[in-house]
Amino acid sequence: MTGQPLLCHGKPLRLGECIGRGGEGVVHMLADDSERAVKLYLKPDADGEAKIKAIVGANLGTSCPNVAFPLELVQYAGGAFAGFTMQRVTGHEPIHELISTGSRRRYFPQADWRFLVRVALNVARIVATVHAAGVIIGDINSAGFLVSQQALVTLIDADSFQVGDHHCRVGMAEYTPPELQGMHFGSVQRTVDHDAFGLAVILFQILALGRHPFTGIARGRPVPIESAIQQGRFAYSQIRNTGTEAPEAALKLHDLPQGVQLLFERAFALRMEPRPTAAEWVKEMATLEAKLTPCPARPHHFVASLATPCAWCRIEENTGRAIFQDGIPTKPRRVVPARTELHHDVARATGYARTYAGETIEPSWPAPAITPSKAARKLATEREASNAPHEIFKILALSDTRTAPFIDEYEAANRSAVKLLEGWRNDIGVWKVLNGVSALNDSLAAFDRTRSHMPSLIAQGGPHITTLQAMGIMRAKSIVDARIAGIGDGVRTLLAQHGIFNAAQLDRTRLAAVPGLGETRMVALLFWRAGIAAEAERESAHSRDHETNHEGAARDRVGQHLGQLERMVREQIDKLYEQVAAVQRRSLVIDRSVQAALMKRDQAGTDLAYLGIDRTAGIEPATLRAGSISPKKKVKPKASASKGKPSCLKCGSPMVKRWARAAANARIWGCTRYPVCTGTRPYAKKRKRRRKVALTRPVRLSGVSAAPIFSRALPALPRSRGYRAGRW
């Protein structure tokens, strides 16, 4: 076919190399013109010839410079129709190479979301230009748009467009509106509204990095795109209940401005009104591009507003992969501010609390002098009568079976004393003090987080204030005064009975609780609300001195919040000192049962010491009673003791529940011989089945005058000689 002579305006054409091939024909360079190319049809027909003549006659190639419209008719030497010449496109890649993360790194390594938004804007501009020329594209798809490294867009395959009565005979189901699904395209008269659906799909794919708006999960299974389009299952809709869930690691509709959200909802909704035109998309894409701002955490991420968390940070953390070229799929390093006087006050208060009201505190009562018991003195006298050498006295003490009752008595007395001490500490408020220490550290951590994130909070404050202003505008829009299709006086009265009076109070959750409202009316109300929200956002964003006023207001708000957190920490410091003082006062009150248990323990310990038995040797009582003469022999301790309490893995002694020093709100098992033995074991609390109850934890940040800081440290109460940690 290409061997036949070709003519253009009666002049011969010399073909260059083949640069493209498709189902309809092949594309060649022109040997004598590097700016143009020629497309030759494999099976030229009369309808195709008539369409090309209509396009060339309308001079569309001049009125739409970024569209590869046919420029001249090409014929064979005998006069038969062969094809056409067109503008040659170089330095461009198909748009699907841009919107896919893998291929974008190869073909567009420097592209970020700003680049994608600019491409989306240029796509909308080209479609608007074509529609303004009276042409319908028909087959809008990702293969028809080419993108340069400067975000310039060119539309190709223009010979398939619908021009006048010459229909577009092709189309892709993924970009075809529901009313045309399954139809024979050659007999369908396309409209601007049909193009609007395909345009919205490709714009969504550009912004959402290749995600199709109708790709989702329904009842745990993926829905074919063609079926989802026919059923109107827009997976990202916030207005309609489509029964389809969008992928988790994807851009959400609420990550975009209100105006863009509304256009997508209109484009993919059931046919309530015409779909957004290309001119409307140009306006909203230009607004979105002007709003783009760097993410405070990762500057290579660009977002539409700082009032909401960065969508790209969320997606990268969920997937563990970087989206853009400079992306780092790890959390940014947090800068820790310098310590202040508040930090030193907290350290002094917590140290004081752990020293004078911590978990090792023992009673401060006077302890009577304890002497060896009569039985211990008798056993010692019998040993002296045996004339044993001094150097084997300790071995005799260990191997003598008569010492077993003394060892057993001490072990029993020690267990009883530890148990009673735990209860006594709880009664006098030691655990409340430790909980207060934990709460104080948490509040200080919140104070530090606010200080370290102050720049980003101030940057987010402006958009947040804009959002609040927009909500104020929406509250002023009464449902009573609105004209909404299908919403009459009866529905307005029903909404008022459920506390819904204005646009700000409309959301799907509240409307679902109104009986008899129905899905159609609910969608109509939410569409009205979305339109009001978009207009309110634009109105508040264009207020006079917007940036300066809002940044100053945001700085004031963050400073006030930081001051409230500092006052809260000061109040908790004062309260902690008061709790320590209360514990000290209660520790002076004698508890007879605890006193008796401690005296019994000390008596048993004195007897062991008098008999030369070292309780810190780490030998099991059973081994001693067996007559072993090797006190340094290690015996593997039992994994658990009686009544579910474990034994120490270091010395085999019983263990009790204690609070971990590193985290005051964590429990551990600790050795009863602490501080001589520091063995610990993790404490696994048994889970109890309980009825689920929704709980809320209010946080008080309102400004209440803070209590004055202590001008002097609370003095330690005098401690007379008594029962202290480590005293036997």
Side-chain angles (χ1 to χ4, degrees):
M1 177 190 68
T2 57
Q4 302 182 42
L6 298 173
L7 301 177
C8 179
H9 295 302
K11 298 180 180 180
L13 289 179
R14 295 174 54 219
L15 298 181
E17 63 176 312
C18 177
I19 58 176
R21 183 180 297 273
E24 291 185 335
V26 294
V27 179
H28 286 265
M29 295 176 55
L30 288 178
D32 55 352
D33 190 350
S34 61
E35 298 297 327
R36 292 188 302 164
V38 61
K39 180 175 181 178
L40 301 177
Y41 288 102
L42 299 177
K43 296 179 180 180
D45 56 17
D47 291 339
E49 181 180 4
K51 179 189 287 190
I52 299 303
K53 288 182 178 179
I55 294 175
V56 173
N59 199 23
L60 294 175
T62 302
S63 59
C64 304
N66 290 325
V67 183
F69 274 116
L71 300 177
E72 301 164 311
L73 201 68
V74 176
Q75 298 173 321
Y76 292 112
F81 171 65
F84 60 89
T85 63
M86 60 181 176
Q87 176 188 356
R88 183 187 173 196
V89 182
T90 59
H92 287 59
E93 300 291 341
I95 202 169
H96 61 77
E97 304 289 5
L98 171 67
I99 61 181
S100 174
T101 299
S103 60
R104 183 174 62 253
R105 293 177 178 173
R106 177 181 178 184
Y107 294 102
F108 299 91
Q110 303 303 320
D112 53 21
W113 205 54
R114 289 178 303 177
F115 188 92
L116 292 169
V117 172
R118 171 58 64 89
V119 170
L121 173 59
N122 288 336
V123 167
R125 283 172 174 165
I126 287 180
V127 176
T129 302
V130 173
H131 288 171
V135 178
I136 306 299
I137 298 175
D139 182 24
I140 292 183
N141 60 77
S142 60
F145 293 92
L146 303 181
V147 183
S148 73
Q149 296 296 325
Q150 292 75 36
L152 299 177
V153 178
T154 300
L155 182 57
I156 61 174
D157 293 335
D159 57 317
S160 68
F161 293 177
Q162 176 178 294
V163 181
D165 295 332
H166 303 285
H167 295 167
C168 175
R169 294 178 290 185
V170 293
M172 294 181 63
E174 294 89 342
Y175 300 89
T176 301
E179 62 270 20
L180 298 185
Q181 288 286 332
M183 298 184 66
H184 184 265
F185 296 126
S187 60
V188 175
Q189 183 73 18
R190 307 284 184 96
T191 66
V192 171
D193 196 59
H194 294 152
D195 273 3
F197 182 87
L199 174 61
V201 170
I202 197 167
L203 291 179
F204 188 92
Q205 288 182 309
I206 295 172
L207 297 180
L209 309 183
R211 298 278 187 180
H212 195 282
F214 288 86
T215 299
I217 304 296
R219 297 180 180 178
R221 296 182 179 179
V223 181
I225 293 180
E226 295 86 346
S227 301
I229 292 176
Q230 289 178 339
Q231 299 166 12
R233 293 180 179 271
F234 175 36
Y236 298 82
S237 178
Q238 298 183 115
I239 291 180
R240 297 183 298 117
N241 182 13
T242 62
T244 308
E245 296 180 1
E248 184 63 29
L251 184 76
K252 305 299 182 183
L253 210 59
H254 61 72
D255 296 319
L256 300 171
Q258 293 283 351
V260 179
Q261 295 181 37
L262 179 59
L263 293 192
F264 279 127
E265 293 280 9
R266 285 175 49 198
F268 303 133
L270 301 178
R271 300 307 303 278
M272 298 178 60
E273 58 181 43
R275 298 182 178 101
T277 64
E280 291 181 84
W281 280 112
V282 170
K283 180 181 178 181
E284 290 299 335
M285 287 293 107
T287 303
L288 171 59
E289 184 181 37
K291 285 183 175 182
L292 291 179
T293 182
C295 169
R298 299 171 188 174
H300 61 277
H301 290 172
F302 285 84
V303 295
S305 173
L306 293 176
T308 56
C310 175
W312 313 120
C313 290
R314 181 190 71 235
I315 294 173
E316 286 186 350
E317 289 171 2
N318 287 340
T319 60
R321 297 190 300 271
I323 296 177
F324 301 105
Q325 182 69 19
D326 296 330
I328 302 175
T330 56
K331 294 184 178 180
R333 198 174 84 183
R334 186 172 65 91
V335 178
V336 180
R339 289 174 64 86
T340 64
E341 185 62 28
L342 182 65
H343 292 79
H344 296 297
D345 292 341
V346 170
R348 283 193 292 267
T350 54
Y352 183 83
R354 289 194 177 100
T355 301
Y356 297 110
E359 60 178 336
T360 59
I361 183 177
E362 291 206 3
S364 303
W365 318 317
I370 299 178
T371 59
S373 65
K374 184 177 180 180
R377 290 196 301 269
K378 181 180 179 181
L379 179 57
T381 302
E382 293 175 356
R383 284 177 173 173
E384 291 177 359
S386 63
N387 294 323
H390 182 269
E391 57 271 11
I392 64 171
F393 178 75
K394 190 172 183 178
I395 297 178
L396 290 175
L398 294 173
S399 60
D400 193 349
T401 57
R402 292 174 296 178
T403 61
F406 294 94
I407 296 174
D408 292 342
E409 183 177 358
Y410 173 77
E411 296 292 341
N414 188 47
R415 286 194 296 269
S416 177
V418 168
K419 182 177 180 180
L420 288 173
L421 275 176
E422 290 287 325
W424 174 79
R425 292 184 183 118
N426 183 64
D427 293 340
I428 66 174
V430 167
W431 306 127
K432 291 183 180 179
V433 170
L434 295 178
N435 288 335
V437 170
S438 176
L440 180 58
N441 289 328
D442 291 342
S443 298
L444 185 63
F447 176 80
D448 285 338
R449 283 195 301 269
T450 303
R451 291 177 63 218
S452 61
H453 293 104
M454 267 193 83
S456 62
L457 291 174
I458 292 173
Q460 296 170 12
H464 181 68
I465 294 174
T466 301
T467 303
L468 294 179
Q469 289 183 349
M471 290 298 293
I473 296 173
M474 293 172 64
R475 292 190 189 96
K477 299 294 183 179
S478 173
I479 298 176
V480 176
D481 302 328
R483 293 184 178 180
I484 309 172
I487 306 300
D489 293 338
V491 177
R492 292 187 178 93
T493 303
L494 182 62
L495 294 173
Q497 291 174 352
H498 289 78
I500 303 175
F501 302 96
N502 55 57
Q505 296 171 330
L506 288 174
D507 60 63
R508 173 163 284 275
T509 303
R510 295 189 67 174
L511 291 177
V514 179
L517 187 59
E519 179 69 16
T520 302
R521 290 172 176 168
M522 189 185 305
V523 171
L525 286 167
L526 291 175
F527 263 107
W528 175 73
R529 188 240 187 228
I532 298 297
E535 186 61 33
E537 186 179 79
R538 283 192 291 267
E539 183 177 341
S540 60
H542 289 87
S543 60
R544 186 178 58 183
D545 298 330
H546 165 72
E547 293 185 0
T548 303
N549 293 339
H550 285 188
E551 182 179 353
R555 190 178 299 276
D556 293 341
R557 287 169 61 91
V558 174
Q560 292 174 4
H561 180 59
L562 195 64
Q564 291 171 355
L565 289 176
E566 182 173 0
R567 287 194 294 272
M568 179 188 296
V569 173
R570 296 290 184 190
E571 291 173 0
Q572 290 179 327
I573 290 175
D574 296 345
K575 183 178 179 181
L576 185 62
Y577 277 119
E578 294 173 359
Q579 290 177 330
V580 173
V583 169
Q584 288 282 293
R585 289 193 298 270
R586 292 168 189 159
S587 67
L588 296 174
V589 180
I590 298 178
D591 187 317
R592 299 302 177 185
S593 59
V594 176
Q595 184 184 42
L598 293 176
M599 291 180 63
K600 187 174 182 180
R601 181 196 67 182
D602 287 0
Q603 180 64 66
T606 301
D607 289 347
L608 290 183
Y610 183 74
L611 294 175
I613 300 176
D614 185 5
R615 300 186 307 279
T616 65
I619 303 173
E620 289 282 1
T623 306
L624 296 177
R625 289 192 292 269
S628 172
I629 61 173
S630 177
K632 295 184 180 180
K633 182 179 179 180
K634 294 184 179 179
V635 180
K636 186 177 180 180
K638 298 179 180 179
S640 61
S642 59
K643 299 183 180 180
K645 293 184 179 180
S647 57
C648 180
L649 294 177
K650 287 187 175 181
C651 67
S653 301
M655 306 190 82
V656 295
K657 288 179 281 187
R658 299 186 185 278
W659 290 98
R661 287 185 178 273
N665 57 349
R667 299 301 297 270
I668 60 172
W669 289 104
C671 182
T672 54
R673 297 178 53 248
Y674 178 85
V676 175
C677 177
T678 58
T680 60
R681 298 185 69 170
Y683 173 72
K685 186 176 180 181
K686 294 183 179 179
R687 299 182 61 181
K688 296 182 180 179
R689 297 183 61 183
R690 59 180 65 183
R691 183 166 57 91
K692 293 183 178 179
V693 180
L695 299 177
T696 58
R697 183 181 181 184
V699 179
R700 182 170 62 86
L701 295 176
S702 58
V704 179
S705 2
I709 307 172
F710 273 120
S711 58
R712 58 186 178 83
L714 188 65
L717 296 178
R719 298 174 60 86
S720 58
R721 183 175 62 85
Y723 301 101
R724 297 185 299 276
R727 172 179 166 83
W728 301 107

